[in-house]
Amino acid sequence: MIEEKGILFVLSGPSGVGKGTVRKALFDKDTALKYSISMTTRAKREGETEGIDYFYKSKEEFERMIEEKKLLEYAQYVGNYYGTPKEYVEETLESGKDVFLEIEVQGALQVKENFPQGVFIFLFPPSLEELANRIINRGTETEDIVNNRLTEAKKEIEMMDAYDYVVVNDQIDTAVSKIQSIVRSEHCKRERVAKQYKKVLEAELG
Amino acid sequence: MIEEKGILFVLSGPSGVGKGTVRKALFDKDTALKYSISMTTRAKREGETEGIDYFYKSKEEFERMIEEKKLLEYAQYVGNYYGTPKEYVEETLESGKDVFLEIEVQGALQVKENFPQGVFIFLFPPSLEELANRIINRGTETEDIVNNRLTEAKKEIEMMDAYDYVVVNDQIDTAVSKIQSIVRSEHCKRERVAKQYKKVLEAELG
C-alpha cells in the first residue's frame, strides 16, 4: 500500500563489544536487510573472505576513492583505513530496501554528518571487564594493543550521545531482537510515513 | 542492570479504526504493560464491564474531577465525557511499569500537552471505505451518527501530525506486533537510557 524508501541503519560501538557477532546473528534472522560491506586496508584475518567480511583495498586505492568522494565515511583505526562506498548505499535505499552498516565509532559519526537521516544504534558492553575479556580472547592482539583498544573503547562510549538508540549486548539473541524492533518501529515513524498515508486517502476521496 | 521509569504509550486514531480490538489483542500477548482505564459518562454498552472497559461516572462526578485537576486529559465526544485519571498513570510510571492508554484523538492531543514525554501512536484505517464499514457493523449507531463519525474521522486523520508513530490496522496481528516493536525500541532510545548506562560504567571505574 505504501511506497517507501529504505532506511539506513548504522550499528556501532566500542572495539570488542561484539558488533560483528550481533550483525551476523541479525542477518541470519532477517533476510530483508541489505548489509553494506565496508572497505578496509587492514590485513585479512583468518576466516575472513573478500566481499563478505570486507572489501580489502590497498592504501593507494583507498586514498583515490577518498579524493573522488566515493565514500559515505572513512576513518583510520589502529593504522588502517575503513570506509563505506556511497553509491551502493544510496541505490539500495532508493530501491526501497534498508541498508545496515556495522562500523567503528569514528566512521559512524562521519555517516551521521553526511547522512543525518540514518538511524544510529550504539552497541553497549555489559561491563568494561567483559569488554577487556572479549578483546583479549580474540587472541589476535598484543597486550599493548589490548590496552590501547580499551582506552579507545572508553572514549568511544562517551560518544554514545550522538546515537539514536543504545542496545546492551549482554545476550546476543536479546540484542538482535531489540535491533529488529528498532528497524520495525522506525518504519512506523510518523515523519517517514504520514505523507504517503495522506496521499492514499486523498486518492480515495478522488 | 538499568533502573528505568516506565513509559506512557498512547494509542489513538479515528472512531471505528479498531483501537479497542488492537488494544485487547496487545494485552493478551503482553502482560507487562499496564492498561490505564478511562473514565466516561457515556452509557455502558452491551458486553462492557465497569472497571474493565471504563469507569462509568455521572456528569456531576466527572466535572468535579475536572475542577480538581485530577485528569490527565478529558474530552467531550458525541455528547459524553471521556478522561484519564492522572494519579494512577504517574504512580505506575514511577514504579517502573509502562502505561498504555487507548483513547480518542481529542484526548490524546491533550495528553500530549500535559505529558509530552509520552509516546503517541496513531492507528490508521486500511481505507476510508473499511472505516465506514466498521462503524456501520458495530450496529449501535443510527445512519446520522455514522455519517457524523466518518466526517469526524477524516478530521482526526488530519491530526496524525501530532503523533510519533503511525500503524496501519489492516491485520490485527501485524498492528499488535508493530506496537510491541515500538514499545521495545522506545526502551532503547538513547535519551532515555544513556545517563543510566554511563552511571553503571562510572561505578565500575570506581
Side-chain angles (χ1 to χ4, degrees):
Chain A
M1 162 180 171
I2 296 295
E3 257 181 67
E4 216 188 313
K5 277 190 192 175
I7 300 173
L8 174 64
F9 292 94
V10 179
L11 180 68
S12 189
S15 177
V17 75
K19 296 186 287 292
T21 312
V22 167
R23 185 256 301 166
K24 276 171 199 152
L26 174 68
F27 276 75
D28 282 346
K29 280 198 177 180
D30 193 329
T31 52
L33 288 169
K34 286 278 162 191
Y35 177 53
S36 170
I37 297 149
S38 294
M39 288 192 345
T40 185
T41 58
R42 85 145 161 72
K44 210 194 301 191
R45 289 192 192 134
E46 223 184 293
E48 291 186 346
T49 311
E50 158 82 18
I52 290 182
D53 297 286
Y54 286 100
F55 296 112
Y56 303 92
K57 298 279 178 192
S58 72
K59 203 182 163 205
E60 292 68 35
E61 290 172 307
F62 203 104
E63 289 178 343
R64 200 181 318 127
M65 289 196 68
I66 295 174
E67 255 176 65
E68 293 171 359
K69 298 188 189 304
K70 288 186 172 169
L71 296 168
L72 197 54
E73 57 81 31
Y74 70 96
Q76 269 188 300
Y77 190 77
V78 199
N80 286 303
Y81 281 120
Y82 294 77
T84 303
K86 193 192 264 180
E87 204 179 345
Y88 170 84
V89 171
E90 290 180 336
E91 283 174 0
T92 312
L93 296 179
E94 208 54 49
S95 80
K97 288 187 191 109
D98 292 337
V99 177
F100 199 88
L101 295 186
E102 174 234 317
I103 48 173
E104 308 295 336
V105 170
Q106 287 185 44
L109 297 178
Q110 233 178 305
V111 177
K112 198 178 154 81
E113 251 177 57
N114 294 325
F115 203 86
Q117 63 271 48
V119 174
F120 296 81
I121 305 169
F122 191 88
L123 201 60
F124 194 85
S127 72
L128 284 181
E129 201 188 332
E130 178 65 27
L131 189 66
N133 286 338
R134 286 182 194 181
I135 295 172
I136 291 162
N137 287 337
R138 190 183 275 173
T140 54
E141 321 290 7
T142 67
E143 201 185 318
D144 267 7
I145 291 184
V146 170
N147 284 337
N148 279 346
R149 290 214 162 188
L150 205 54
T151 307
E152 198 67 34
K154 286 175 196 164
K155 277 188 223 155
E156 286 169 341
I157 288 169
E158 291 300 312
M159 294 176 187
M160 193 159 63
D161 289 343
Y163 289 74
D164 300 301
Y165 296 95
V166 180
V167 170
V168 63
N169 188 23
D170 44 2
Q171 298 277 342
I172 292 170
D173 282 356
T174 313
V176 166
S177 153
K178 282 178 181 172
I179 294 169
Q180 288 184 299
S181 289
I182 292 167
V183 170
R184 213 146 188 230
S185 76
E186 280 290 330
H187 278 282
C188 298
K189 276 270 182 82
R190 189 256 313 149
E191 63 263 34
R192 291 192 203 281
V193 295
K195 244 186 219 167
Q196 289 103 307
Y197 279 125
K198 282 186 183 169
K199 264 189 211 158
V200 170
L201 284 190
E202 277 159 25
E204 225 187 313
L205 292 169
Chain B
M1 160 181 175
I2 297 294
E3 255 180 68
E4 216 188 311
K5 278 191 195 176
I7 301 171
L8 173 65
F9 293 94
V10 179
L11 180 68
S12 188
S15 177
V17 75
K19 295 185 289 292
T21 312
V22 167
R23 185 256 301 167
K24 277 172 199 153
L26 173 69
F27 275 75
D28 283 345
K29 280 198 178 178
D30 193 329
T31 51
L33 288 169
K34 287 278 163 193
Y35 177 52
S36 171
I37 298 149
S38 295
M39 288 192 341
T40 185
T41 57
R42 85 144 160 73
K44 210 194 300 188
R45 286 188 194 141
E46 223 185 294
E48 290 185 348
T49 312
E50 158 81 19
I52 292 183
D53 296 286
Y54 285 100
F55 295 112
Y56 303 92
K57 298 277 177 193
S58 72
K59 202 182 163 203
E60 291 67 34
E61 290 171 308
F62 204 105
E63 289 179 343
R64 201 181 318 126
M65 290 196 67
I66 294 174
E67 255 176 63
E68 293 170 358
K69 295 186 191 303
K70 289 186 171 168
L71 296 168
L72 197 55
E73 56 82 32
Y74 72 94
Q76 271 188 299
Y77 190 76
V78 199
N80 286 302
Y81 281 121
Y82 294 76
T84 303
K86 193 193 262 179
E87 204 179 345
Y88 171 84
V89 171
E90 290 181 338
E91 282 174 1
T92 311
L93 296 179
E94 207 56 47
S95 81
K97 288 186 191 108
D98 293 337
V99 177
F100 198 88
L101 294 187
E102 174 235 319
I103 47 175
E104 307 297 335
V105 170
Q106 288 185 43
L109 297 177
Q110 234 179 305
V111 177
K112 197 177 155 82
E113 253 177 57
N114 293 325
F115 203 87
Q117 64 270 49
V119 174
F120 296 80
I121 305 169
F122 191 88
L123 201 60
F124 194 85
S127 72
L128 285 181
E129 201 188 332
E130 179 63 28
L131 189 65
N133 285 338
R134 287 182 194 180
I135 296 172
I136 291 163
N137 288 337
R138 190 183 276 174
T140 54
E141 321 290 7
T142 66
E143 201 186 318
D144 266 7
I145 291 184
V146 169
N147 284 337
N148 279 347
R149 290 213 160 187
L150 205 56
T151 307
E152 198 66 33
K154 285 175 196 166
K155 277 188 222 155
E156 285 170 342
I157 289 169
E158 291 301 312
M159 293 177 188
M160 190 158 67
D161 288 345
Y163 289 75
D164 300 302
Y165 296 95
V166 180
V167 170
V168 63
N169 189 22
D170 44 3
Q171 298 277 341
I172 291 170
D173 282 356
T174 313
V176 166
S177 153
K178 283 178 181 171
I179 293 169
Q180 287 184 301
S181 289
I182 292 166
V183 170
R184 211 146 189 229
S185 76
E186 281 290 329
H187 278 282
C188 299
K189 277 269 181 83
R190 189 256 314 149
E191 62 264 34
R192 290 191 204 281
V193 295
K195 244 186 218 166
Q196 289 103 309
Y197 279 126
K198 282 185 183 169
K199 265 190 211 159
V200 170
L201 284 189
E202 277 159 26
E204 226 187 314
L205 292 169

